Structures are given as structure tokens and as C-alpha cells.
Amino acid sequence: MCQLCETGGMGDAGFGIVSRSAEVLVGLSWEGSFAEARSGSIRTLLSQVQARLGEVSDLWASPIVGISWNDRPDGFRYFVGVPVSEAGALSHFDARIELPATICAAAWHAADDGDVIAHYGRMIEWISASGHMRNTAAYHHREEYPRDADFDAAPELRLMIPVR
């Protein structure tokens, strides 16, 4: 099943548990403040990765993946990329990360779902109420964007938080 279409196990609240296999991603890295992110730095990074990938009409192409680490007092680190297994991906990027297999709480965030940060807040409440615990050993958040996403429009993406 396509990672973006994945709906198995999503409850009435729109949250569920999904798994991601260990993988190697290639892409671009960014580090900065929350204010810089709000002013468009992340959207710019996403657009740069999308542009380097070119026009992809393959319905089954993997999503553009964003990984964040909230390990700075004034901001965070963010990596945007695609699986190294994608044809040609290595020639377009010089940053690379290895991710372990993870289990994540997940939800689809549609364009009309409001603020992404507020949606993450509802997910964190659901994680606790469901008896799960956040697992920040490898990363703090994972986001999956359709390859053809319009990064100038309201965000549409899968929100994910690793759990145990």
C-alpha cells in the first residue's frame, strides 16, 4: 500500500499507528529557529528538493520525507529527502541519513485542517490517552509529502511521531 494512502488502523479521531522500515534517505539539511521556519525556510527547502527531483508523474513514487529533531533551544534541525533507492536520487543530493525501523502515531493533515502545530498537539494528546509513549531516540517528527505537493498552498501531509 502507498505510504500516503495508508489508512489501516486510523481511529475515529483520525489517528492511528503505522510502521516504517529502516531506510536510507538522501536530500538536503536545514537548521534554524522556529521564527525562520514560520517565515518560509522549510517550504523553501521542500521546494528545492522537489525541484531537484524534477517532474515525477509516477503515481507510486515514494513521498518526500521530512525528519525533524527538536534539539536546539531556539529551533530545530530538519532533513528533507527521498529513499536512496530511487533512481538518480544520489546524483542530486549530498546529505544522507540512515533511519531505523520505527512505529509511529500518524494522521493525514488536509489543507482545511488548520494549523499543523495544533494538529501535532492533538496527536500528542491522543498518544498519551492511547497508552503509548513518544520515542525520540532516532528523531522527533516525520512528515510525508506527496511528490506533487504545492508548497505555496495550505499544507497537505502525513504527520508522524515515533512511539513505543
Side-chain angles (χ1 to χ4, degrees):
M1 174 183 290
C2 157
Q3 288 179 351
L4 290 174
C5 301
E6 185 174 42
T7 59
M10 296 298 165
D12 291 338
F15 302 113
I17 300 295
V18 300
S19 63
R20 291 295 178 260
S21 301
E23 63 187 330
V24 177
L25 301 177
V26 292
L28 300 174
S29 295
W30 175 88
E31 189 170 332
S33 70
F34 294 114
E36 290 170 311
R38 278 190 301 277
S39 71
S41 294
I42 299 300
R43 286 179 184 238
T44 299
L45 189 69
L46 288 161
S47 294
Q48 289 172 343
V49 168
Q50 187 181 53
R52 287 188 186 191
L53 292 170
E55 290 292 321
V56 177
S57 59
D58 181 2
L59 177 63
W60 304 111
S62 63
I64 294 172
V65 177
I67 302 292
S68 65
W69 299 267
N70 296 344
D71 55 2
R72 292 175 39 134
D74 65 334
F76 61 102
R77 294 181 296 129
Y78 199 70
F79 177 91
V80 177
V82 295
V84 72
S85 60
E86 300 248 341
L90 281 175
S91 64
H92 296 295
F93 304 105
D94 55 7
R96 172 186 172 114
I97 62 169
E98 294 184 30
L99 299 174
T102 53
I103 304 295
C104 295
W108 179 255
H109 181 85
D112 60 355
D113 282 342
D115 182 65
V116 171
I117 302 302
H119 203 157
Y120 268 124
R122 292 188 301 276
M123 183 185 293
I124 290 167
E125 290 172 4
W126 179 84
I127 289 169
S128 179
S130 299
H132 299 289
M133 295 179 63
R134 292 181 73 177
N135 178 6
T136 59
Y139 56 88
H140 291 90
H141 300 94
R142 177 183 177 116
E143 298 172 339
E144 296 176 353
Y145 299 86
R147 282 287 182 96
D148 62 350
D150 179 355
F151 295 118
D152 292 323
E156 294 185 303
L157 66 148
R158 180 170 306 285
L159 307 175
M160 304 172 81
I161 296 176
V163 296
R164 53 188 153 109

